[in-house]
DNA sequence: AACCTACACAACCGCAAAGCT
DNA sequence: AAGCTTTGCGGTTGTGTAGGT
């Protein structure tokens, strides 16, 4: 609708997918200067991105310790357990999964687990649409799957696996080996380039 | 071969909390 | 104490791709 006032100092802000060059700039800059304040970092690094965007990109993809793809059955069970406990507290859940980001867990939950739970509910005839847990999320939607599930007494071999998590071993729930690691180029590539370029 | 649909993931947006001046 | 800035979080949307018709 209305355009926001655009002064001459208002540098245009890039949106959308990050390019390899931008990634390299960001990696390089952080490797040399550390993280600091994101807004100033974005400017100082010469990126036409918001600080927010830089932060997200760094935290979710460029950090050297970030792991992507291939969520293991153990991790999935942990996600289930923690989600049952805390609801959609993705960042809190992510803290218990080293190398995983809240965004990845959130996406994983929405696209895979939630879908599978819906199917499971279909079988049990449950409709928990109106139920929300204390966190305002519908964690009870997992009731069909989770009824046999007791976090404190969790064992990897219990019924949980028999129900929802036959799916885990089922190839259609596991990401294809390389699919989610490709992002036009691998992070390893970027980091090795950074090492070549950097100090 | 072309089109359609569903899925998976990356990125953005808005809001609230925390920190700083 | 108040106002401003920055960060962090959760929800949502956009886009590319694979599979099906």
């Amino acid at each position: 609708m209305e355009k926001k006032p655009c002064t001459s100092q208002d540098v245009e802000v890039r949106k959308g997918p990050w390019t390899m060059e931008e990634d390299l700039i960001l990696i390089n800059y952080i490797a040399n200067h550390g993280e600091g304040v994101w807004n100033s970092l974005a400017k100082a690094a010469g990126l036409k991105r918001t600080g927010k965007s830089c932060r997200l990109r760094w935290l979710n993809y460029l950090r050297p310790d970030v792991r992507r793809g291939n969520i293991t059955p153990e991790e999935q069970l942990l996600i289930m357990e923690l989600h049952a406990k805390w609801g959609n507290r993705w960042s809190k859940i992510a803290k218990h999964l080293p190398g995983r980001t809240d965004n990845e867990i959130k996406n994983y939950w929405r696209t895979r687990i939630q879908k599978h739970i819906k199917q499971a509910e279909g079988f049990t005839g449950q409709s928990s649409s109106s139920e929300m847990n204390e966190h305002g999320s519908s964690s009870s939607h997992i009731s069909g799957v989770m009824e046999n599930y007791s976090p404190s007494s969790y064992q990897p071999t219990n019924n949980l696996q028999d129900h929802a998590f036959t799916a885990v071993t089922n190839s259609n729930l596991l990401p294809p080996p390389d699919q989610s690691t490709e992002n036009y180029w691998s992070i390893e590539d970027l980091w090795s380039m950074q090492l070549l370029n950097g100090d």
Side-chain angles (χ1 to χ4, degrees), chain A residues 81-164:
Chain A
E81 177 180 342
L82 297 178
H83 187 272
K85 245 195 239 175
W86 297 322
N88 298 356
R89 297 288 181 268
W90 304 116
S91 60
K92 202 171 174 183
I93 293 172
K95 288 193 175 86
H96 289 72
L97 290 129
R100 300 293 183 188
T101 67
D102 55 348
N103 207 34
E104 184 177 21
I105 293 170
K106 179 170 60 182
N107 280 331
Y108 187 76
W109 178 269
R110 289 180 60 83
T111 59
R112 309 198 193 188
I113 299 181
Q114 206 161 45
K115 180 184 74 179
H116 197 81
I117 285 168
K118 280 208 176 96
Q119 288 171 358
E121 278 184 351
F123 283 121
T124 59
Q126 302 232 6
S127 72
S128 54
S129 55
S130 62
E131 289 181 50
M132 297 290 268
N133 72 3
E134 59 184 338
H135 306 288
S137 66
S138 53
S139 80
S140 61
H141 57 322
I142 56 180
S143 56
V145 174
M146 301 294 282
E147 57 193 349
N148 295 321
Y149 172 51
S150 141
S152 55
S153 61
Y154 156 67
Q155 291 183 349
T157 52
N158 70 4
N159 287 344
L160 187 57
Q161 280 190 326
D162 293 335
H163 283 287

Side-chain angles (χ1 to χ4, degrees), chain A residues 162-174:
Chain A
D162 293 335
H163 283 287
F165 301 108
T166 50
V168 172
T169 56
N170 200 340
S171 59
N172 71 356
L173 252 183
L174 284 174

Side-chain angles (χ1 to χ4, degrees), chain A residues 14-18 22 49 53:
Chain A
R14 266 185 58 79
K15 288 185 183 179
W18 279 64
E22 288 176 312
R49 297 275 181 173
S53 178

Side-chain angles (χ1 to χ4, degrees), chain A residues 44-60:
Chain A
L47 287 163
K48 295 183 173 62
R49 297 275 181 173
T50 62
K52 226 173 173 179
S53 178
C54 293
R55 175 184 164 272
L56 196 72
R57 184 68 182 169
W58 174 253
L59 291 180
N60 284 339

Side-chain angles (χ1 to χ4, degrees), chain A residues 26-85:
Chain A
L26 185 57
I27 289 175
N28 229 331
Y29 189 89
I30 292 177
N32 290 326
H33 302 92
E35 292 186 18
V37 177
W38 289 106
N39 277 335
S40 357
L41 185 154
K43 277 184 199 141
L47 287 163
K48 295 183 173 62
R49 297 275 181 173
T50 62
K52 226 173 173 179
S53 178
C54 293
R55 175 184 164 272
L56 196 72
R57 184 68 182 169
W58 174 253
L59 291 180
N60 284 339
Y61 301 98
L62 300 178
R63 267 188 324 174
D65 59 326
V66 73
R67 290 164 58 211
R68 296 172 55 218
N70 294 322
I71 299 230
T72 65
E74 289 76 21
E75 285 176 315
Q76 181 170 0
L77 287 167
L78 188 54
I79 292 170
M80 298 272 310
E81 177 180 342
L82 297 178
H83 187 272
K85 245 195 239 175

